[in-house]
Amino acid sequence: MADLSIDFAGITSPNPFWLASAPPTNSGDQVMRAFDHGWGGAVWKTLGDPIVDTSSRFGALHVGDQRMVGFNNIELITDRPLEVNLREIREVKRRYPKHALIVSLMVESKDDWREIIRRTIDTGADGIELNFGCPHGMCERGMGSAVGQEPEVLKVVAGWAVEYSTIPVLIKLTPNVGDILEPGVAAVEAGAHGLSLINTIKSITGVDLDRMVPYPVVGGRSTNGGYCGPAVKPIALHMVAALARDPRITVPLSGIGGIATWRDAAEFIALGCTSVQVCTAVMHYGFRIVEDMIEGLSDFLDSRGLKSVNELRGKAIGAYAEWGDLDLNYKVAAQIDTDKCIGCDLCYVACRDSSVHCIHTGEHPLPAGHRAPAREAAIARAKSAGVHVTWVDWDECTGCNLCSHVCPVPGCITMVDDTRGKPFESWNDRIARGTDKVPGGLHG
Ligand SMILES: Cc1cc2nc3c(=O)[nH]c(=O)nc-3n(C[C@H](O)[C@H](O)[C@H](O)COP(=O)(O)O)c2cc1C
């Protein structure tokens, strides 16, 4: 069985699965129950001056019968007294010495940072995570994303923490920036030992049209919240990958954003993360999901012959290139499995209205010389079963793969290689050879 243990900037953990700083890590009781279920680490709900939260404070995007595809909150940091939190952190660390226990912090002044870091170290915690990401409530007070969005300010505050801390300092980045490299590089330059990302994305999940108030409704008003859950995973993956492939980012990454399964976690690790953190999926399904995550990741590593999770780290980074370096001669074509097609016509309509209209039904004529490997089978099945079976003209198909995404039948539409021996040629190759030109606008 593959070794799942990790070492994150000197913080060891039995597996890469950590709880993110959020409601599931608000108390010692919760964190200890989570560790009993198998979580390898936890980032404690952000400590600072206790706040007062609003009621309500969560919004959600439900799509069809899928609940909480996206989740939104206007919750602030911990509402519990500092002494209580510190006492519980000490107790958790005493009882679970092998688990990673990191404490998220957010205060304002230099003296406050010195004091809270000193008291946190005193609990025996393994590391601290600076919350430079909260995009509501705390930023109006000069904290959270107000720090994370200004690389120079971030550098100063992170520098204080690095100076005062004798345990590893992780910086949690906000995604509410134009280029994640700017705060990421600033954090590394300030001496941070690791980066966590992403915190939540500024959002409004919807509007109550009866009351004419955006969600979540607080009396007669609302405000923007922070978005997370499955919907943000693609944004988080992109930001993680952008950091992982940059040579200036020399510290480990903790990936956060929409992780709910072992597969999500494996994707973040393949794009360079050492650990992953989970919030929304635990708020939705509870601590027990980690059992499936551990088993799934372990089986996956075994199936690939990887002896440890560390061997998976960064394996997909090399394949992440600039658009200009992609092969313009690589070509795929859609192949519809005649036997699986249910004749819903979604692919037909999508291709006709939004692509090149290369998907046809029945005895639609095929131009001379064109290839349509499934045409005869589709016509035969349509006749025998009395259903509307679609087929693809491969010489018209541009391989956009819209049809495979709209198809509701798993495995019915696959994209198959139709490159037919053409050599690799990227746009940058074409520019270099003078067979394509850089648009004049780029030269101003
Ligand atoms: C209700 C709620 C409260 C949160 N509180 C904190 C917090 O106190 N400190 C922090 O750094 N992040 C906080 N977060 C952000 C999460 O730690 C995490 O970065 C984000 O939710 C993305 O992960 P997910 O998609 O798994 O939820 C909170 C998120 C939610 C939903």
Side-chain angles (χ1 to χ4, degrees):
M1 188 177 148
D3 178 9
L4 294 188
S5 68
I6 58 157
D7 180 327
F8 188 107
I11 301 172
T12 54
S13 172
N15 62 53
F17 301 113
W18 295 355
L19 290 174
S21 175
T25 60
N26 201 29
S27 71
D29 168 64
Q30 288 167 289
V31 174
M32 287 191 286
R33 277 194 292 113
F35 286 169
D36 288 340
H37 274 279
W39 290 91
V43 185
W44 205 273
K45 172 80 185 166
T46 305
L47 306 186
D49 277 340
I51 50 71
V52 177
D53 268 319
T54 58
S55 167
S56 63
R57 54 182 177 275
F58 300 150
L61 180 75
H62 310 298
V63 179
D65 55 7
Q66 180 83 37
R67 308 290 292 176
M68 284 169 62
V69 169
F71 191 58
N72 160 285
N73 83 91
I74 56 171
E75 177 172 302
L76 304 184
I77 62 173
T78 184
D79 55 359
R80 305 168 76 228
L82 185 59
E83 307 72 56
V84 176
N85 276 304
L86 293 175
R87 192 173 62 234
E88 293 180 9
I89 291 167
R90 182 190 303 275
E91 184 59 14
V92 172
K93 193 61 215 173
R94 192 183 66 75
R95 290 204 215 170
Y96 294 81
K98 295 210 165 86
H99 289 69
L101 190 57
I102 292 140
V103 181
S104 173
L105 302 175
M106 186 199 286
V107 286
E108 208 175 344
S109 73
K110 192 174 178 184
D111 286 344
D112 290 344
W113 278 107
R114 185 192 294 117
E115 182 60 9
I116 203 164
I117 290 173
R118 184 188 64 73
R119 296 181 70 181
T120 304
I121 293 171
D122 204 39
T123 62
D126 299 297
I128 56 174
E129 184 183 85
L130 313 191
N131 178 348
F132 291 165
C134 186
H136 46 262
M138 305 313 290
C139 45
E140 284 94 324
R141 304 169 203 201
M143 293 178 272
S145 63
V147 178
Q149 286 174 323
E150 296 293 339
E152 288 310 314
V153 181
L154 181 155
K155 227 167 157 172
V156 171
V157 182
W160 297 339
V162 170
E163 182 188 336
Y164 301 142
S165 183
T166 52
I167 54 179
V169 177
L170 282 62
I171 309 277
K172 185 163 176 183
L173 300 176
T174 175
N176 299 299
V177 290
D179 179 2
I180 197 67
L181 279 167
E182 291 182 6
V185 169
V188 173
E189 285 175 357
H193 305 101
L195 301 177
S196 310
L197 69 162
I198 58 175
N199 208 310
T200 53
I201 302 170
K202 275 197 174 199
S203 61
I204 291 176
T205 41
V207 176
D208 180 333
L209 289 177
D210 295 322
R211 289 188 275 184
M212 283 297 165
V213 183
Y215 295 114
V217 175
V218 183
R221 294 182 175 174
S222 187
T223 190
N224 74 270
Y227 202 43
C228 51
V232 309
K233 186 182 117 182
I235 297 162
L237 278 177
H238 165 254
M239 293 190 166
V240 157
L243 293 177
R245 66 201 286 260
D246 191 290
R248 291 168 296 175
I249 304 299
T250 50
V251 298
L253 305 176
S254 189
I256 320 169
I259 298 169
T261 66
W262 71 266
R263 192 175 279 277
D264 298 328
E267 290 172 12
F268 275 82
I269 295 167
L271 281 177
C273 292
T274 299
S275 72
V276 293
Q277 300 183 26
V278 180
C279 164
T280 301
V282 167
M283 292 182 71
H284 196 164
Y285 300 111
F287 293 133
R288 61 167 188 81
I289 60 169
V290 77
E291 292 159 21
D292 290 344
M293 295 170 105
I294 291 170
E295 189 182 325
L297 182 63
S298 183
D299 288 350
F300 173 73
L301 294 173
D302 289 347
S303 73
R304 297 297 156 112
L306 299 175
K307 296 201 169 35
S308 88
V309 67
N310 300 315
E311 291 181 22
L312 174 64
R313 189 180 318 130
K315 269 202 176 295
I317 296 175
Y320 175 24
E322 298 301 325
W323 189 93
D325 290 325
L326 301 181
D327 184 2
L328 295 179
N329 282 340
Y330 176 70
K331 162 84 171 27
V332 286
Q335 180 156 280
I336 299 174
D337 185 330
T338 305
D339 293 328
K340 288 188 176 151
C341 178
I342 56 171
C344 69
D345 276 357
L346 277 170
C347 63
Y348 172 82
V349 171
C351 188
R352 184 195 64 193
D353 293 357
S354 303
S355 194
V356 292
H357 199 169
C358 69
I359 297 183
H360 305 289
T361 57
E363 299 193 38
H364 182 89
L366 182 67
H370 281 211
R371 297 159 303 143
R375 182 173 182 271
E376 302 314 317
I379 293 170
R381 174 143 186 263
K383 278 186 183 149
S384 65
V387 284
H388 213 208
V389 181
T390 52
W391 52 270
V392 183
D393 179 338
W394 275 27
D395 292 284
E396 292 292 336
C397 178
T398 63
C400 74
N401 78 358
L402 175 63
C403 56
S404 75
H405 292 300
V406 301
C407 179
V409 182
C412 179
I413 302 185
T414 46
M415 305 305 296
V416 296
D417 192 339
D418 190 33
T419 305
R420 295 197 280 167
K422 284 195 191 150
F424 185 103
E425 187 186 36
S426 70
W427 186 69
N428 284 334
D429 291 335
R430 288 187 183 185
I431 296 294
R433 277 194 217 110
T435 51
D436 207 333
K437 60 179 177 14
V438 178
L442 287 182
H443 295 300

